Amino acid sequence: MSATTLDLYLARRDAYAAFLSAADAESSVCWRKADGQYPSPDSTREAQDAAYAITRDAFNRILVEPVGPHKEAQAVVEQIRILGRADQDAQDWVAFKKAREVFVEAARACLTETLAT
């Protein structure tokens, strides 16, 4: 394996992992919001805005590459947006977890393909 291939693999792996971490953190904000854990609407909005910015940045790092799990990452982002608009009873965590699993599988496939080149 060449150093270039290894560098590309590591960069992609880090980008995919950062996206997953950001998505998990933002989904936690959605849970806390729906559960009424924030002391005020302003603190809720601040938490959402901060989490959104991190997720969007991580998503954009995946999006700008010509290959990779773009559609799967977009599906995760869409599920987070749905969670953020729903109350606790309407939050569909099964759909979010499924979208996340599909992203993980697509990311693994992309990483495997990266190593095969």
Side-chain angles (χ1 to χ4, degrees):
M1 173 186 339
S2 73
T4 303
T5 299
L6 180 59
D7 289 345
L8 182 59
Y9 171 86
L10 293 173
R12 286 179 176 165
R13 183 205 60 190
D14 291 350
Y16 302 157
F19 174 73
L20 285 171
S21 295
D24 290 346
E26 188 173 355
S27 70
S28 294
V29 169
C30 296
W31 169 259
R32 287 190 293 276
K33 174 189 173 193
D35 194 42
Q37 294 182 20
Y38 290 103
S40 70
D42 286 342
S43 63
T44 301
R45 192 171 25 264
E46 289 170 7
Q48 283 182 296
D49 289 350
Y52 172 85
I54 294 168
T55 303
R56 179 51 69 184
D57 179 66
F59 173 72
N60 286 342
R61 291 173 193 276
I62 295 168
L63 186 62
V64 298
E65 253 209 290
V67 298
H70 307 115
K71 292 183 294 181
E72 295 84 358
Q74 181 63 46
V76 171
V77 169
E78 289 170 7
Q79 287 302 315
I80 292 170
R81 300 298 162 255
I82 292 168
L83 288 174
R85 290 188 289 268
D87 64 20
Q88 194 172 20
D89 293 331
Q91 285 184 327
D92 188 354
W93 288 96
V94 172
F96 170 73
K97 289 177 183 178
K98 180 62 179 174
R100 189 184 186 285
E101 289 171 13
V102 169
F103 172 81
V104 168
E105 289 304 315
R108 286 178 180 158
C110 183
L111 290 172
T112 299
E113 185 177 307
T114 300
L115 290 176
T117 57

